[in-house]
Amino acid sequence: ATKRPPHYYYGDKPWWQAAYDKGKGKLYISSIDYNTDLDAYTFTIAVPVYRNGMVVGILARILDASFFFRVLGNVQVGKTDHAMLASSTGEVIVCPNAPLKSHRLSPAFMSTIFQDKPGWAVTQNGPHYPKMGAITGFSPVLLTFSLGPNTFGGERWYIFTSQDPEETYRPIYILFKWVGFAGGVGALLLAVLGVLVSRRIVRPIQDLQKGAEIIGAGNLNHHIEIKTGDEIEVLASKFNEMTYNLKISQISLEEKVKDRTRELEQSNRELTILYALTSTLNHSVDLEEILSETLAKMLGVMKADAGLIWMPDPKTNVFSIRMAKPFDNGNRQFEGILQIMEYVNDVVLETSELWSSEDLLSDERIDPFNYKEAEFKSLVAVPLLSKYKVSGVLHLLYRNRTGLSSKDEKLLVSLGSQIGVAIEHSLLFAKNLFKELEEPPSSG
């Protein structure tokens, strides 16, 4: 005990028996009753104490009922409003304006506020404002419903609040006064509105005229804002719709011009590449010079980072690198990409078609090689064709992922054919020259 108790045996007390509940244990809250030992109204909260699932004691707390005065005193709307707590017998347990359990509620008032759900009602038989039509708010104390019939003295509690009707309806009376005042002011405003209405018709027409001038000057982004709810607003909406359609047509025309411009740029680019390569191929018949100049031109026009030309050895017919820029084929770092290019050479020789990969790291065709180098990410292999025969393979390498359009692929195939023909002519020229050097001069 927190202080010396008046008794040492409580087994016969209702709160102990209810909380013990024949050894099963149960929460118990008593009703508010006068405590002769403490000379005050109190209520008791008792809870069982368990050990190993068995009730071994009861913990009880005896509280002064004045606690409710402090709680209900904070529940207030306005100056005259106050909250009260009543039991289902009609006894007012707590009232901030009267002693505990000093008055009761009338049966008619009880039937109005003792409901299972919270609500509001207009009552004329309340404890403080009878016959005055007071607005009363009420709510059941749900805890008194859920703990069973042995708690709260077998009663249910309800909380309700009541306010002086004069204070409740005072805002309405003030509103009526303001309505009367507003009526007088409204009559004055009607005269002013008569002048403004005439302007309301003229101004939208002026806005419409101004908007039409702006749109006519070429500003198709202008939007006419007129909200009159009449034919003028409909007309403005039609103007905006017309402007929108003109803008869409203008955008469509611009896109067509851009597409045509891109086509012309692509055509010019193809012509530039073809001219540059043709000049290079016609400049010399030396194979090494053709390969070097051709590879340099292709790297420039295709914006590749490195390039190689593979050609078969005249004696063994085994493909090997004949020209590389800028690429060190002796560097062990590039062994992975060299294996890929050898595989691609076989594919190109078999199909005589262009081979390209935008992302070597994710290309399923080269999964068996387990390519993980980060130096080059894209590869294009162009067959160098002459009379439908592959005389070499041109490889273009990119450090960044690079995809080719269908036009780029067609252009590369065409360039590959020209390079292949130039290589064949160079080889024939070298072969004929070699024969002339071996033949003895004819006798005079």
Side-chain angles (χ1 to χ4, degrees):
T2 56
K3 61 183 179 179
R4 184 180 181 88
H7 308 284
Y8 290 93
Y9 178 73
Y10 291 90
D12 57 347
K13 298 295 184 181
W15 60 265
W16 193 94
Q17 295 176 0
Y20 185 68
D21 194 22
K22 299 178 181 181
K24 294 182 289 185
K26 187 177 181 181
L27 173 65
Y28 172 80
I29 302 176
S30 70
S31 61
I32 297 177
D33 298 305
Y34 183 74
N35 191 319
T36 56
D37 295 328
L38 300 177
D39 191 23
Y41 280 95
T42 63
F43 67 99
T44 303
I45 300 177
V47 294
V49 179
Y50 294 94
R51 184 172 63 192
N52 298 328
M54 300 292 294
V55 180
V56 297
I58 304 298
L59 176 64
R61 177 96 185 258
I62 301 174
L63 299 173
D64 192 340
S66 61
F67 162 79
F68 285 101
F69 284 115
R70 295 192 298 271
V71 174
L72 295 179
N74 294 328
V75 181
Q76 188 175 15
V77 180
K79 297 180 179 180
T80 61
D81 177 78
H82 59 278
M84 288 172 279
L85 183 67
S87 68
S88 55
T89 61
E91 184 178 34
V92 177
I93 301 173
V94 178
C95 177
N97 295 343
L100 284 170
K101 296 188 174 184
S102 60
H103 53 289
R104 300 180 65 86
L105 302 177
S106 66
F109 188 73
M110 291 167 54
S111 63
T112 302
I113 70 168
F114 288 176
Q115 305 292 335
D116 294 336
K117 296 181 179 180
W120 292 88
V122 178
T123 61
Q124 295 184 348
N125 41 31
H128 294 289
Y129 308 106
K131 300 180 181 180
M132 297 182 65
I135 298 177
T136 302
F138 54 86
S139 174
V141 181
L142 298 180
L143 186 63
T144 64
F145 286 69
S146 60
L147 292 183
N150 295 329
T151 56
F152 298 98
E155 300 174 356
R156 295 180 178 180
W157 291 0
Y158 299 86
I159 187 171
F160 63 95
T161 180
S162 185
Q163 187 182 60
D164 188 345
E166 291 186 2
E167 182 182 4
T168 304
Y169 297 114
R170 185 178 296 117
I172 298 177
Y173 299 147
I174 295 174
L175 177 62
F176 287 158
K177 293 180 181 178
W178 276 104
V179 169
F181 174 75
V185 175
L188 178 62
L189 290 176
L190 286 175
V192 178
L193 289 175
V195 178
L196 296 178
V197 167
S198 60
R199 295 183 179 180
R200 183 177 180 274
I201 298 174
V202 175
R203 180 165 294 176
I205 296 177
Q206 293 175 342
D207 293 340
L208 183 62
Q209 180 182 3
K210 183 178 179 181
E213 292 175 354
I214 295 174
I215 295 171
N219 185 1
L220 299 180
N221 293 317
H222 183 71
H223 187 81
I224 302 175
E225 291 288 346
I226 296 179
K227 301 295 182 182
T228 58
D230 53 16
E231 291 79 2
I232 299 177
E233 182 178 348
V234 174
L235 181 59
S237 176
K238 294 298 181 181
F239 261 96
N240 292 330
E241 184 178 348
M242 177 192 67
T243 305
Y244 175 78
N245 292 333
L246 288 174
K247 185 176 180 180
I248 294 298
S249 299
Q250 184 184 43
I251 294 174
S252 176
L253 181 61
E254 291 176 353
E255 289 298 323
K256 290 180 180 179
V257 172
K258 289 180 181 179
D259 292 340
R260 185 57 181 165
T261 301
R262 282 193 292 267
E263 292 177 359
L264 291 175
E265 290 176 351
Q266 179 69 17
S267 299
N268 290 336
R269 178 170 173 264
E270 293 176 2
L271 290 174
T272 301
I273 295 172
L274 291 173
Y275 175 76
L277 186 60
T278 303
S279 300
T280 300
L281 296 177
N282 294 332
H283 178 70
S284 174
V285 293
D286 181 69
L287 181 60
E288 293 298 321
E289 185 178 355
I290 290 175
L291 296 179
S292 176
E293 292 295 328
T294 298
L295 184 57
K297 292 290 184 181
M298 292 296 289
L299 290 176
V301 296
M302 297 308 297
K303 299 180 180 179
D305 297 301
L308 297 91
I309 295 179
W310 296 65
M311 290 182 61
D313 186 89
K315 297 180 180 180
T316 63
N317 204 34
V318 176
F319 267 71
S320 60
I321 299 174
R322 290 292 300 272
M323 186 62 60
K325 290 187 179 184
F327 187 91
D328 184 5
N329 58 331
N331 192 336
R332 295 186 62 186
Q333 179 182 358
F334 301 129
E335 289 182 359
I337 193 67
L338 288 173
Q339 292 178 357
I340 301 298
M341 286 190 287
E342 290 176 355
Y343 161 75
V344 173
N345 283 336
D346 294 337
V347 175
V348 174
L349 287 173
E350 182 179 353
T351 62
S352 300
E353 295 179 354
L354 180 139
W355 190 98
S356 66
S357 175
E358 183 177 348
D359 189 355
L360 292 172
L361 297 177
S362 61
D363 197 324
E364 297 179 353
R365 296 175 295 178
I366 60 173
D367 282 348
F369 297 94
N370 195 23
Y371 179 74
K372 294 183 179 179
E373 294 180 10
E375 180 68 19
F376 298 107
K377 295 184 174 62
S378 297
L379 170 66
V380 180
V382 183
L384 306 180
L385 296 172
S386 176
K387 298 180 180 179
Y388 304 103
K389 179 181 178 182
V390 179
S391 59
V393 181
L394 170 65
H395 292 262
L396 298 176
L397 297 167
Y398 297 87
R399 290 189 172 87
N400 298 318
R401 285 188 298 182
T402 303
L404 299 179
S405 66
S406 58
K407 291 186 177 181
D408 290 335
E409 292 180 353
K410 291 180 180 179
L411 176 63
L412 286 174
V413 171
S414 175
L415 294 176
S417 298
Q418 294 190 41
I419 297 172
V421 172
I423 291 174
E424 183 180 5
H425 289 171
S426 176
L427 292 174
L428 289 175
F429 178 79
K431 184 177 180 180
N432 293 333
L433 181 62
F434 181 75
K435 285 183 178 181
E436 291 179 359
L437 293 176
E438 285 185 344
E439 291 179 357
S442 59
S443 58

